[in-house]
Amino acid sequence: MSSYLITIGTIIAIQAITVCGLNVIVGYAGQISLGHAAFFGIGAYSAALLSTKAGLSFWAGLPFVVLISGFVGLLLGLPSLRVREDFLAITTIGINFIVEAVFLYVPFFGGALGIGGIPRIYLFGLKLKGLAFFSLCLFFLVIVLLVCWWFSRSWAGLACFALREEESAASSMGISPVRFKLLAFVVGTAMAGVGGALYAHYMRFIAATDFSFPVSISFLSMVVLGGMGTLWGPLVGALILGALPELFRPVENYRILFYMVLLLLMIRFQPGGILGERSLLRHKILPALLGGRS
């Protein structure tokens, strides 16, 4: 495998880890979040500061990164859960802009110069880069998928599904909307923190613009395209939208426009995504390919 393909695969794997977290918030709990890049950035900046200023290795700093991302998600999730639908979307957009502004204007976070000199990850004394780093990202992606699979089958996951489908009916059965929506928010932001930590140690330089609002739109597009609330949907979305910019380099400047149009088309014609419950792939294409067997 060439170094170019390994680089693309590494970025897609990191994005897939982060998008799986967004799927827990949007797909499982039914909360509209348009600011997930903020938590991706919090994970990246936490890892960068812990390694460059505190001198911690990636492995020693990772538990702190997960705790910081989850804790900030808890703090920011509390006021966000007091509003719904359009107002929740606007609130999460605001969170993204506030976090980006803090990274950009507070000197402790490097300001406009960002943070450089982030060390590489070592494992058993070996420096991880290229194919080794790609394998590490795949390892974390498998762990995140296993956590999503477990969460979707746990009592907490089933409660989130019930709240997503009909919050009033679920509340009447004794399911606390605040408790379980907040739990989904914390789990999703913690996963974004893991993705951010891997991103920081892979790029070795981060800046506030790496976690801007268009990045949040990209993450949401991956979830919607692959299939909200499904296990493999975020991975499929990350694969497709992670590879398309490389295939269409000449129109790279129109990427966000393309994502927005794609979002509108998917919401209009395939609201469940490629792997959703009522998708053409699951109900038309796959049965036809399998000779009538679904």
Side-chain angles (χ1 to χ4, degrees):
M1 186 182 292
S2 69
S3 58
Y4 172 73
L5 290 178
I6 291 173
T7 301
I8 300 302
T10 303
I11 296 297
I12 289 175
I14 292 172
Q15 289 176 334
I17 292 170
T18 308
V19 170
C20 283
L22 180 60
N23 186 45
V24 172
I25 299 172
V26 177
Y28 291 2
Q31 304 171 79
I32 302 173
S33 177
L34 296 176
H36 204 61
F39 303 103
F40 181 56
I42 289 169
Y45 269 83
S46 300
L49 291 171
L50 286 169
S51 59
T52 57
K53 295 194 174 182
L56 295 181
S57 68
F58 168 78
W59 301 104
L62 185 61
F64 294 104
V65 171
V66 173
L67 288 175
I68 292 171
S69 303
F71 181 69
V72 176
L74 175 68
L75 292 180
L76 298 180
L78 277 172
S80 302
L81 294 178
R82 298 178 67 87
V83 294
R84 295 182 180 180
E85 298 177 351
D86 298 346
F87 296 103
L88 176 59
I90 294 170
T91 302
T92 54
I93 292 173
I95 289 173
N96 200 157
F97 281 108
I98 290 171
V99 171
E100 185 186 355
V102 169
F103 292 154
L104 188 60
Y105 296 113
V106 176
F108 179 74
F109 296 103
L113 297 177
I115 299 178
I118 304 169
R120 292 189 182 277
I121 298 175
Y122 284 82
L123 182 64
F124 302 122
L126 297 175
K127 184 189 297 183
L128 300 184
K129 60 181 182 178
L131 187 59
F133 197 96
F134 177 51
S135 302
L136 178 71
C137 293
L138 290 180
F139 170 74
F140 278 103
L141 178 58
V142 170
I143 291 178
V144 165
L145 287 171
L146 286 174
V147 172
C148 290
W149 176 83
W150 170 81
F151 185 79
S152 66
R153 283 157 177 76
S154 67
W155 163 248
L158 296 176
C160 287
F161 286 133
L163 290 170
R164 181 193 65 186
E165 296 300 326
E166 183 52 60
E167 184 172 328
S168 300
S171 300
S172 67
M173 299 296 291
I175 298 174
S176 169
V178 173
R179 178 184 174 189
F180 290 104
K181 284 186 175 182
L182 201 56
L183 176 63
F185 211 82
V186 171
V187 171
T189 53
M191 290 180 181
V194 174
L198 289 169
Y199 178 80
H201 282 276
Y202 182 68
M203 300 303 292
R204 304 185 65 199
F205 171 81
I206 56 173
T209 51
D210 295 339
F211 315 103
S212 57
F213 178 62
V215 179
S216 293
I217 295 298
S218 301
F219 290 155
L220 185 63
S221 302
M222 292 173 185
V223 175
V224 173
L225 178 66
M228 290 187 293
T230 63
L231 179 64
W232 300 104
L235 180 58
V236 172
L239 277 172
I240 294 174
L241 292 185
L244 280 182
E246 302 304 319
L247 298 175
F248 297 99
R249 276 285 177 191
V251 293
E252 183 183 7
N253 294 332
Y254 301 95
R255 184 181 58 182
I256 299 303
L257 174 63
F258 171 75
Y259 285 169
M260 296 302 291
V261 172
L262 183 62
L263 270 176
L264 292 174
L265 291 175
M266 291 300 295
I267 291 171
R268 174 64 182 85
F269 298 106
Q270 288 284 280
I274 293 176
L275 299 179
E277 288 293 331
R278 299 180 180 85
S279 68
L280 288 174
L281 179 66
R282 292 181 60 170
H283 291 273
K284 298 290 184 183
I285 300 176
L286 282 180
L289 293 175
L290 296 174
R293 293 175 296 165
S294 60

